[in-house]
């Protein structure tokens, strides 16, 4: 049996992962304290009321269900059935993500989601401490120093173990690195992003199709738009940092307008504040963070973005962070020794984080350059046909990542095999009529076993 001291834990960060993990652990009888640098979003509004939305997929929903949060979160979610591709000439085409409306993703409001999870954490008995920024850790004395940024006051508190759910710029990770090398490596993408807003239409409705994730693919760059339940869309422009066009050459509102006139003309009437929005904020950086070690013995462990920040292009950062929470809560039940639990957590999750980090990088090329390419569309068509011919054996890449709970590493390995089959079978062909079905079927049977989703 564990002593009550060993069943107490201190979480850093009350963002998406911190709030969910606090709920899962408090419900299992842990004494949970959560320290968050910002103020309580339930008190004074969130991020100045800006609508920032996230795509929630099956992995995230499954984790939310473990905390009984899924139903409430879904009340304000907007269904996205597929990619709405906006061609240069203004034509649009919906490419479905799944077979029907049971295979869709959901756009949800980050602030509302966080508030919902904080309420649940508190109801479960977790103690939330806002305005408490982790500044430094004395791992020998097992004390952590927190700063209240409103008056710069410091508070030193003892802990049994620390969990870093403090995001990509994790202070706990920095403190751990001072004690022991975690094998940290950050790879910046040579592209960045800017956010713009599509307000509601005159009649108060959505200005463009609400039930889709909009993509304007333009080869080396792209824009996307996700719907918000208050009838707005958040548009994100992804551009290279250098070259033409890039954030180095498109700096002023007028330059942004010229770029949009050339490449995103159908979006101009949708974004009234394009020029101001473009000039307001500097471009956001995009990076992948790799760590060889996620924990220091029994004293500290990292999860979510703090352990494995990724580029956004698969829409899986939050979904993966939520899966981490379920996995860590389970390991903490299965192992009485925290060091063993943290090691088992890392062993299970690190290969999967590496897999989704790689797939997220790969999906940028697909979104910006491939979705309007005839070869790619033929491969998608064959993928659907093989899904019908080999149920449970040939499962589309997007389905494995987004609608299933199989490990990301399994999805990556199978996607690599499947891509090989699709490319080889469609090489030099311009329709499915020319496919040699016997050969393709034999290839599928030889190289892919039946896939079981443990969920
Ligand atoms: P966060 O949610 O960032 O939470 C970290 C928390 O720690 C914050 O509350 C922060 O204030 C707090 N904190 C930081 N430092 C300290 C400190 N020193 N002391 C105390 N507290 C601290 N993912 C998806 O799955 N789908 C999407 O569509 C998607 N869209 C995104 C859009 C944008 C614009 C961005 C930026 C990210 C998006 N992501 C998406 C990724 C997703 O937001 C992250 O992967 C997810 O939030 C990670 O959760 P987390 O709890 O690890 O970190
Ligand atoms: N972080 C998403 C997908 C995959 C869509 C597809 C892609 C913006 C920052 Cl870029 C992106 C996806 O393959 O058709 N699902 O969900 C979310 C995405 O970007 C989010 C909104 C985003 N994340 C910094 C900006």
């Amino acid at each position: 049996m564990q002593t009550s001291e060993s069943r107490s834990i201190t979480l850093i960060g009350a963002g998406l992962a911190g709030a969910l993990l606090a709920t899962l652990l408090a419900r299992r009888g842990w004494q949970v304290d959560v320290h968050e640098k910002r103020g309580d979003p339930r008190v004074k509004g969130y991020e100045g009321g800006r609508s920032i939305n996230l795509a929630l997929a099956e992995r995230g929903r499954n984790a939310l269900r473990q905390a009984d949060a899924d139903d409430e979160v879904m009340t304000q979610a907007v269904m996205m059935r597929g990619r709405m591709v906006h061609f240069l000439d203004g034509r649009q085409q919906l490419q479905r993500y799944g077979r029907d409306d049971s295979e869709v993703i959901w756009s949800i409001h980050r602030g509302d989601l966080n508030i919902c999870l904080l309420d649940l954490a508190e109801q479960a008995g977790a103690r939330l401490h806002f305005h408490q920024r982790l500044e430094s850790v004395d791992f020998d004395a097992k004390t952590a120093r927190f700063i209240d940024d409103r008056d710069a006051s410091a508070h030193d508190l003892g802990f049994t173990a620390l969990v870093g759910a403090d995001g990509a710029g994790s202070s706990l990770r920095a403190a751990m690195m001072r004690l022991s090398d975690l094998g940290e490596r950050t790879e910046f993408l040579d592209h960045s992003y800017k956010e713009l807003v599509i307000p509601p239409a005159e009649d108060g409705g959505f200005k463009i199709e609400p039930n889709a994730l909009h993509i304007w693919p333009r080869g080396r760059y792209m824009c996307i738009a996700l719907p918000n339940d208050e009838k707005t869309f958040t548009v994100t422009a992804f551009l290279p940092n250098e070259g033409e066009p890039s954030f180095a050459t498109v700096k002023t509102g007028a330059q942004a307008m010229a770029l949009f006139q050339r490449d995103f003309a159908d979006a101009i009437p949708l974004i009234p504040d394009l020029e101001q929005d473009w000039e307001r904020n500097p471009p956001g950086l995009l990076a992948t963070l790799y760590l060889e070690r996620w924990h220091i013995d029994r004293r500290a462990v990292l999860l979510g973005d703090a352990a494995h920040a990724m580029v956004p292009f698969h829409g899986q950062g939050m979904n993966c962070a939520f899966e981490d929470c379920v996995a860590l809560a389970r390991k903490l039940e299965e192992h009485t020794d925290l060091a063993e639990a943290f090691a088992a957590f890392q062993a299970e999750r690190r290969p999967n984080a590496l897999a989704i980090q790689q797939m997220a990088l790969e999906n940028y090329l697909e979104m910006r350059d491939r979705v309007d390419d005839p070869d790619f569309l033929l491969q998608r068509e064959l993928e659907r046909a093989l899904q019908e011919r080999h149920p449970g054996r040939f499962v589309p890449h997007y389905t494995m990542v987004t609608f299933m709970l199989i490990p990301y590493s399994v999805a990556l390995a199978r996607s690599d095999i499947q891509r090989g089959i699709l490319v080889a079978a469609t090489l030099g062909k311009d329709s499915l009529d020319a496919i040699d079905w016997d050969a393709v079927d034999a290839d599928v049977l030889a190289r892919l076993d039946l896939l079981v989703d443990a969920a």
Side-chain angles (χ1 to χ4, degrees), residues 25-174:
L25 293 180
R27 287 199 181 170
R28 287 171 163 89
W30 286 75
Q31 184 188 310
V32 182
D33 284 278
V34 190
H35 296 265
E36 164 61 46
K37 74 172 171 187
R38 291 190 268 190
D40 187 340
R42 296 166 299 179
V43 175
K44 60 177 186 69
Y46 206 76
E47 290 176 342
R50 268 197 341 136
S51 286
I52 289 294
N53 45 20
L54 301 138
L56 176 68
E58 190 51 31
R59 293 170 197 274
R61 288 192 64 186
N62 180 58
L64 291 174
R65 275 181 212 115
Q66 324 265 318
D68 298 313
D70 187 56
D71 287 343
E72 190 183 333
V73 170
M74 292 305 289
T75 58
Q76 41 107 24
V78 183
M79 181 193 279
M80 297 187 289
R81 295 192 165 94
R83 298 172 175 161
M84 184 67 84
V85 179
H86 294 244
F87 298 94
L88 200 51
D89 62 8
R91 244 178 345 111
Q92 299 180 29
Q93 180 193 49
L94 181 71
Q95 300 176 1
R96 264 194 177 273
Y97 285 135
R99 284 171 295 197
D100 52 45
D101 281 359
S102 70
E103 294 182 329
V104 297
I105 55 175
W106 301 89
S107 183
I108 52 167
H109 188 274
R110 180 192 294 269
D112 292 347
L113 173 63
N114 202 6
I115 285 171
C116 168
L117 293 175
L118 291 173
D119 282 338
L120 284 171
E122 222 160 45
Q123 283 160 25
R127 295 187 299 213
L128 309 180
H129 312 276
F130 293 97
H131 299 292
Q132 294 284 297
R133 176 172 58 81
L134 179 73
E135 192 199 46
S136 58
V137 181
D138 183 333
F139 284 101
D140 294 326
K142 288 198 169 187
T143 60
R145 168 162 292 192
F146 296 93
I147 306 289
D148 182 335
D149 286 319
R150 291 170 303 181
D151 58 7
S153 57
H155 307 260
D156 291 315
L157 297 169
F159 64 85
T160 307
L162 297 175
V163 179
D166 50 350
S170 172
S171 300
L172 179 55
R173 189 178 70 229

Side-chain angles (χ1 to χ4, degrees), residues 52-56 80 82-84 95 97 105 110 193-195 213 215 222 224-226 234-236 238 284-286 310-316 319 363-364 366-367 371 398 402:
I52 289 294
N53 45 20
L54 301 138
L56 176 68
M80 297 187 289
R83 298 172 175 161
M84 184 67 84
Q95 300 176 1
Y97 285 135
I105 55 175
R110 180 192 294 269
Y193 72 97
K194 250 185 219 286
E195 282 162 351
L213 191 158
I215 309 182
M222 67 176 186
I224 65 166
L226 273 71
T234 305
V235 178
T236 313
F238 295 95
L285 301 180
L286 301 168
M310 63 190 76
V311 296
F313 306 107
H314 233 306
Q316 287 287 318
N319 288 282
N363 209 47
Y364 187 24
E366 173 162 327
M367 291 179 77
V371 293
Y398 193 87
T402 312

Side-chain angles (χ1 to χ4, degrees), residues 250-270:
V250 185
K251 283 187 162 144
T252 65
Q255 289 166 331
M257 184 55 83
L259 170 70
F260 272 68
Q261 268 154 2
R262 195 186 70 193
D263 284 327
F264 308 106
D266 65 327
I268 293 177
L270 306 174

